[in-house]
Amino acid sequence: MSGHAKTKAQELESMVAQSESGARKPAGSVGIFLGILAFAWSIFQLYVASGVPFWLTEHLGVNWVFNNQEVRQVHLAFAIALCSLAYPLFKGSPQHRIPWYDWILTVVGVCCCLYLLVFKDTISDRAGLPTTSDLVISALGLISLGIAVFRSLGLPLLLVATVFMTYVFFGDQPWLPEVIQWKGASFGKAMWHFWMQTEGVFGVALGVSATMIFLFVLFGALLERAGAGNYFIQLALSLLGHLRGGPAKAAVVASGLSGLYSGSSIANVVTTGTFTIPLMVKTGFSREKAGAVEVASSTNGQLTPPVMGAAAFLIAEFTGIAYTDVIRHAVVPALASYIALFYIVHLEAMKMGLEGMPRPSARFTLIQKLMGFLGGFVAIGVLGAIVYFVLGSVAEMMPSMTTWTGALIFLLGYLALIRVAAKRPDLEMKDPEHFEVLPRADEVAPTGLYYVLPIVVLLWSILIERLSPALSAFWASLAMLFVVLTQDFLKALFRGEHAHLGHFRDGVVAMYEGMISGARNMVPIGVATGVAGVVIGTVSLTGAHQVVGEFVEMLAGGNVMAMLLLVAVMSLILGMGLPTTANYIVVSSLMAPVIVSVGAQTGLVVPLIAVHMFVFYFGILADDTPPVGVAAFAAAAISGGDPIKTGIQGFTYDIRTALLPFLFIFNHELLLIDVTFAQAIFVFIIAVIAMLLFAAATQGFFITRSRWYESAALLLVAFTLFRPGFWLDQVEEPFVHRPGTEVVKEAGRLPEGGLLRMVVSGPDFDRPDRMASLTLVAPMGAPGDGAQRLMEAGLMVGDNPDAPQGTIALEEPMAGTPYFTKMQMFDFYGDRPVVVERVELDAERMHKEVFYIPGLALLALIIFLQLSRRKATLAAA
């Protein structure tokens, strides 16, 4: 590698360190201590995820089991300690030594966290009655956490948390508009709420970080340390580099594969972009477009299941939906978005008349043809299908298969693949400046196939064994640790070299460094989820989401589309300064209930998963949104282009990703909700075609350069394929309306599991002079009397002479029932009753897919026009 390349690599490494793992790397005994501290954090997280604590308790009689709350406290203590020691407080702070004040801040932060662990019994005895020491510890703990957030994530998230906390203390002040005032909280109540219990810092978000996210980040760090990143890059390049704009296509695929285990867009940019961006520039892409392709690829890597930038676990926790279902809901939008990005790169190469890189031989293998056509994105799906169907059938045939049997199968497969890899030299990270000829796919692929095995373990645990995400990541991390420890030793053994202890020592060093890297990469996430608990705690304490909801509803005027646009803009603005995880937590806490309630008031019943995915997608897009998009700055540092132009270009590539959230809010089939397997395949194919057409329209190029009306027609076709139900609703009413008095009869007629849709109206609790309206969808249980089925669903009808004609009164749902929270908007004790206004039954209509026919006919016309024009152009040339 040239001196200039080395300098640039060091600069990029420093950039990643500043935002991901801490730029400070002290030498000597202090550096060793810092490494041991990070290593100890990884060991602790593996320990609490395993069955070892229970085994020790059972066989040694000592209680070394940590409950969830205790794990959160130790988790945050490690995060604050590493943050205080590894992240300089100011830009001018020393990077090669730790100043005295950082040691003091470390001790204070750790003591404030462990205070809850050491004095847990006495704290529980005085619940809600804090002592002076409780208040001091809570205040110092929040200050320590705020300083840690400032160090690792900068000022924006700290300002957001400060605004929320200020609202807690001063929300009752007369100088605030009356609409957003609340009764306020005392210092003692607020401190107890935020620090001493599970409603604030040590709440759900930090719990997800401590039990799930850490292990997935550790798994990714070990996979990267083992050499998987370099393997994926060179494999993608060997398969796709010969195509038009080949390095750009390879960047898209490599970033997608890295997204399997990486939750960071900037790390993804640097890992894959260091190699692919110079090659893109070399083959004809401008510096800004080369950087933008990598930025769009890397930010979209956070859409890729199973990690999804760590948000998958938070979504599962906040929505109450199983983690495996979250993955299922996310897979079609993620694949469609990535395939469309691959197609955008192809269109860019077509517009510029680019060619691919030279192949090492004229021989064009079948696998290269397949990968060139499919773009490599189905590889993940194929792997998942193999695990689910092939290995799943093995599990059915061997129901008594134990963990040890699975470990033996893994070991045999690993030994076979490591022997295949040993027959070829190890892959080296090549200098892209001197990269002239593509590597051969049949030479690259065998060198790292064993990297897939830990991913198979992860998918097996999640899809087949149905283990928890934490336990699945634990077993995958153990498999990855075994690979890191043994790969060099076993390769030397199979190559006939003298496999001495030096090879094994290299594995131990790699394992140690991977464990340290995983822990340091977790620091920003750990403190971000901790401070996000302040936001969640404020919402639960003050009901701030209702205030924000009313404000947004007022701005949107009750229009769902306008409200969605406001939420999208809010996510983008917050995301410019917040990491994706924190952005998702903040916006979903405030806006998810608003979208659901406003949608229900207008008759649109939106599944909760669709709302949370909507917020999550726009949080991701903020990573390349100027002027702050950190991923764009990282890509520009590699390409030498302008970071603002790179970010703008990357955002134009990501417009297709911004379209998806609006679509699956209205078309739930894109999230594979209530579809069969055959329907899922059909939905995926249609979604991909529609996304490709949308990409072609926005790029102004399809078969040839498009005229404006052709681009408009392509947008119309794409919209029709994505949401044919819109056109059907214009032709036929979706529902047959029945009077509310028939709700009991209709409830009795529905089959088991059927959904009863009804419109409920009544006096608004906050504004009694106004009537509120809400659309409810209630699932019916076992067949029986209609009133009984409604009661079992949580709804009770009653006789009330004041109910308007054609309606039936509803009684207030009991606390704890599904509709208690949803119907708090109504005043059940006002002068006018809350009633079922009407029942809405699904109308018998034509299939919405009928509208695909005119859409595809219009597409055929566009293809004919563009083919004719292209032939004429070629003939003239």
Side-chain angles (χ1 to χ4, degrees):
M1 185 179 288
S2 66
H4 175 69
K6 287 182 180 179
T7 303
K8 180 175 285 189
Q10 291 171 353
E11 292 175 354
L12 291 169
E13 184 180 349
S14 175
M15 179 183 294
V16 175
Q18 288 176 10
S19 62
E20 301 294 330
S21 60
R24 182 181 285 152
K25 294 183 178 179
S29 57
V30 176
I32 295 173
F33 171 77
L34 195 57
I36 292 174
L37 184 64
F39 182 79
W41 191 12
S42 294
I43 290 293
F44 171 78
Q45 296 291 161
L46 289 171
Y47 170 79
V48 296
S50 70
V52 173
F54 302 98
W55 185 91
L56 291 174
T57 302
E58 181 180 350
H59 291 83
L60 299 183
V62 290
N63 184 11
W64 286 355
V65 177
F66 291 83
N67 62 37
N68 287 336
Q69 184 63 10
E70 292 165 352
V71 170
R72 297 175 191 181
Q73 293 157 4
V74 177
H75 180 82
L76 187 60
F78 270 115
I80 291 178
L82 278 173
C83 190
S84 300
L85 299 176
Y87 287 81
L89 184 55
F90 304 107
K91 289 184 178 179
S93 298
Q95 295 196 359
H96 300 292
R97 64 179 179 85
I98 300 174
W100 61 269
Y101 53 82
D102 281 344
W103 288 108
I104 293 176
L105 290 172
T106 300
V107 172
V108 170
V110 170
C111 288
C112 290
C113 294
L114 298 186
Y115 175 86
L116 303 175
L117 178 64
V118 174
F119 299 102
K120 58 183 179 181
D121 294 331
T122 57
I123 290 174
S124 62
D125 292 339
R126 58 174 184 270
L129 299 172
T131 62
T132 302
S133 60
D134 291 341
L135 297 180
V136 171
I137 288 292
S138 299
L140 289 176
L142 288 169
I143 293 171
S144 299
L145 180 60
I147 294 173
V149 167
F150 174 73
R151 288 174 185 269
S152 59
L153 298 167
L155 198 56
L157 182 56
L158 180 60
L159 289 177
V160 170
T162 302
V163 168
F164 277 85
M165 189 167 285
T166 303
Y167 179 65
V168 170
F169 291 114
F170 301 104
D172 60 341
Q173 296 302 306
W175 43 265
L176 283 177
E178 186 176 348
V179 69
I180 66 172
Q181 286 184 18
W182 82 293
K183 63 181 181 180
S186 66
F187 181 77
K189 181 178 181 180
M191 290 300 100
W192 186 275
H193 185 81
F194 284 124
W195 194 262
M196 302 298 292
Q197 59 178 10
T198 59
E199 294 293 325
V201 171
F202 298 98
V204 171
L206 187 64
V208 173
S209 174
T211 56
M212 299 185 211
I213 298 176
F214 189 101
L215 293 172
F216 278 87
V217 171
L218 178 61
F219 173 73
L222 291 169
L223 198 59
E224 186 67 39
R225 184 62 185 80
N230 181 37
Y231 172 72
F232 287 146
I233 293 169
Q234 296 209 33
L235 180 61
L237 197 62
S238 66
L239 292 169
L240 304 169
H242 63 281
L243 302 174
R244 287 181 181 269
K249 292 174 179 175
V252 175
V253 175
S255 294
L257 292 173
S258 296
L260 277 173
Y261 58 86
S262 172
S264 167
S265 57
I266 183 172
N268 202 330
V269 166
V270 173
T271 302
T272 58
T274 304
F275 192 68
T276 57
I277 289 176
L279 289 180
M280 283 188 256
V281 174
K282 193 173 183 179
T283 53
F285 279 83
S286 69
R287 296 183 183 277
E288 283 73 22
K289 285 189 176 181
V293 168
E294 184 58 54
V295 167
S297 305
S298 298
T299 52
N300 277 202
Q302 295 184 81
L303 303 176
T304 312
V307 178
M308 295 169 60
F313 319 109
L314 290 164
I315 293 173
E317 196 70 27
F318 289 164
T319 60
I321 296 171
Y323 171 69
T324 50
D325 289 335
V326 172
I327 293 176
R328 174 170 57 86
H329 295 317
V331 68
V332 167
L335 286 176
S337 183
Y338 251 116
I339 292 173
L341 179 58
F342 188 88
Y343 183 58
I344 286 174
V345 168
H346 176 72
L347 294 178
E348 287 283 19
M350 290 281 289
K351 286 191 286 186
M352 292 184 282
L354 304 182
E355 298 294 335
M357 295 185 66
R359 295 193 299 271
S361 67
R363 189 162 61 92
F364 202 18
T365 63
L366 176 61
I367 189 171
Q368 283 178 308
K369 292 179 181 179
L370 289 174
M371 295 299 282
F373 177 71
L374 298 174
F377 301 104
V378 294
I380 300 169
V382 169
L383 181 61
I386 291 173
V387 172
Y388 188 79
F389 292 107
V390 179
L391 299 184
S393 61
V394 173
E396 289 180 1
M397 291 185 290
M398 301 173 61
S400 60
M401 185 172 67
T402 64
T403 302
W404 293 109
T405 308
L408 179 61
I409 294 173
F410 168 81
L411 179 61
L412 293 175
Y414 174 62
L415 290 175
L417 291 177
I418 204 78
R419 183 170 186 174
V420 170
K423 294 179 180 179
R424 291 168 176 80
D426 294 338
L427 289 179
E428 296 181 1
M429 178 60 82
K430 300 180 180 179
D431 188 344
E433 294 180 5
H434 305 103
F435 196 87
E436 300 295 339
V437 180
L438 292 172
R440 289 174 58 95
D442 54 356
E443 292 179 354
V444 173
T447 63
L449 285 175
Y450 61 90
Y451 291 132
V452 177
L453 285 177
I455 299 175
V456 170
V457 171
L458 180 64
L459 295 175
W460 167 278
S461 301
I462 292 172
L463 299 177
I464 306 301
E465 295 297 325
R466 297 286 178 171
L467 301 180
S468 68
L471 196 53
S472 300
F474 169 76
W475 289 116
S477 297
L478 283 190
M480 200 61 241
L481 281 169
F482 181 75
V483 170
V484 174
L485 278 170
T486 61
Q487 62 174 345
D488 292 335
F489 180 84
L490 290 175
K491 282 181 184 178
L493 189 66
F494 284 125
R495 286 168 181 163
E497 301 172 0
H498 183 56
H500 47 70
L501 289 177
H503 290 100
F504 189 74
R505 185 176 62 248
D506 292 341
V508 173
V509 171
M511 181 272 293
Y512 179 73
E513 292 176 348
M515 297 275 275
I516 292 174
S517 176
R520 292 185 64 144
N521 290 344
M522 263 304 299
V523 171
I525 298 176
V527 297
T529 50
V531 81
V534 173
V535 176
I536 298 173
T538 301
V539 171
S540 65
L541 183 64
T542 66
H545 63 285
Q546 296 177 349
V547 174
V548 174
E550 290 180 5
F551 179 68
V552 171
E553 185 181 349
M554 179 192 69
L555 291 179
N559 184 286
V560 175
M561 185 58 71
M563 179 196 59
L564 291 174
L565 287 170
L566 285 170
V567 174
V569 171
M570 179 186 295
S571 298
L572 287 174
I573 292 173
L574 280 174
M576 289 182 189
L578 305 188
T580 304
T581 308
N583 183 14
Y584 162 73
I585 294 171
V586 172
V587 181
S588 65
S589 300
L590 290 172
M591 299 310 306
V594 179
I595 297 175
V596 172
S597 63
V598 173
Q601 291 173 32
T602 58
L604 177 67
V605 178
V606 186
L608 198 56
I609 182 66
V611 175
H612 283 260
M613 290 283 287
F614 182 94
V615 173
F616 168 60
Y617 263 57
F618 278 101
I620 287 174
L621 290 175
D623 273 358
D624 61 6
T625 306
V628 185
V630 288
F633 277 83
I638 300 171
S639 68
D642 182 273
I644 301 299
K645 291 180 180 178
T646 300
I648 293 172
Q649 185 67 54
F651 189 76
T652 62
Y653 291 155
D654 270 340
I655 289 176
R656 79 207 184 286
T657 307
L659 171 72
L660 279 169
F662 289 98
L663 293 170
F664 55 59
I665 285 286
F666 296 98
N667 183 2
H668 309 151
E669 290 179 352
L670 286 172
L671 299 179
L672 302 185
I673 296 176
D674 297 328
V675 297
T676 64
F677 180 77
Q679 290 172 326
I681 298 296
F682 180 75
V683 167
F684 171 69
I685 293 171
I686 293 297
V688 169
I689 294 173
M691 188 57 75
L692 296 183
L693 294 177
F694 180 82
T698 55
Q699 292 301 306
F701 197 100
F702 186 33
I703 297 171
T704 186
R705 291 191 181 276
S706 300
R707 291 171 179 165
W708 69 267
Y709 55 84
E710 291 173 335
S711 293
L714 287 173
L715 288 174
L716 182 62
V717 175
F719 177 77
T720 301
L721 295 179
F722 269 127
R723 198 172 170 233
F726 173 82
W727 302 115
L728 180 59
D729 290 344
Q730 309 309 308
V731 176
E732 296 180 354
E733 287 291 332
F735 302 109
V736 175
H737 295 168
R738 292 282 185 267
T741 50
E742 296 188 16
V743 66
V744 175
K745 182 178 74 172
E746 296 299 338
R749 291 172 54 183
L750 281 174
E752 185 173 358
L755 300 177
L756 181 65
R757 182 184 173 101
M758 66 196 86
V759 177
V760 178
S761 62
D764 191 303
F765 184 84
D766 296 316
R767 291 164 291 184
D769 56 317
R770 293 179 54 181
M771 295 292 288
S773 179
L774 179 68
T775 300
L776 291 179
V777 177
M780 295 292 103
D785 177 69
Q788 182 64 31
R789 298 181 81 184
L790 284 169
M791 185 177 297
E792 290 173 356
L795 297 170
M796 293 180 289
V797 296
D799 294 326
N800 190 320
D802 295 329
Q805 186 175 0
T807 68
I808 188 170
L810 270 183
E811 297 181 16
E812 184 177 18
M814 298 293 291
T817 59
Y819 300 102
F820 176 73
T821 302
K822 286 185 180 180
M823 300 183 68
Q824 283 184 339
M825 61 189 297
F826 295 116
D827 181 4
F828 283 89
Y829 303 99
D831 295 333
R832 291 172 292 182
V834 178
V835 298
V836 178
E837 189 175 302
R838 64 178 182 270
V839 180
E840 297 183 339
L841 306 178
D842 290 331
E844 293 186 6
R845 305 191 295 173
M846 71 176 83
H847 292 292
K848 63 183 179 181
E849 289 78 13
V850 168
F851 291 91
Y852 289 159
I853 297 174
L856 294 175
L858 179 58
L859 176 61
L861 176 62
I862 300 168
I863 292 174
F864 173 76
L865 292 174
Q866 293 216 351
L867 279 175
S868 301
R869 197 159 66 250
R870 184 181 180 188
K871 288 179 181 178
T873 303
L874 292 174

